[in-house]
Amino acid sequence: MIMSLRRKTGCLIIVLILMSGGAGFMLGLIVSKAVQKKKETPAFWKQAAMKHLEKLHPDEAQRQQFEAVTDQAVAELSTLREEGIRNVWSIVDQAAADIQKGLKPEQKETFEKIRPKPPANLDK
């Protein structure tokens, strides 16, 4: 059975639209993850705060004051964030230890494989 040129063209256009939509979706996911990762850095916090404070049209002396206050706040927030992450992993480790106490020997091997592990950069 021979398809007409119009039908072939229509099918090709539909396939191209679907492929473009899929590629755009995947690129959107990648960009979204990159932006979210960037927002987790203290340098971004300072930059965002200073950009927001620029709406006040500060003079140079105020800008320096804002920067000093922002630096201190970002340092405190970074410390608080690190403490929070350590506390979370402390709770997770304690829960895992409690679970492990009730396991049979053959279950312990499997549990060690699936046990949540803290990130490598976590300073305990």
Side-chain angles (χ1 to χ4, degrees), residues 32-45 47:
S32 174
K33 285 184 181 185
V35 168
Q36 186 62 33
K37 189 74 169 170
K38 180 182 176 186
K39 286 183 178 181
E40 293 177 1
T41 63
F44 178 80
W45 300 344
Q47 178 186 2

Side-chain angles (χ1 to χ4, degrees), residues 86-102:
R86 280 194 294 274
N87 289 341
V88 165
W89 279 103
S90 174
I91 293 168
V92 169
D93 287 342
Q94 182 60 46
D98 291 343
I99 290 170
Q100 194 169 18
K101 289 177 187 174

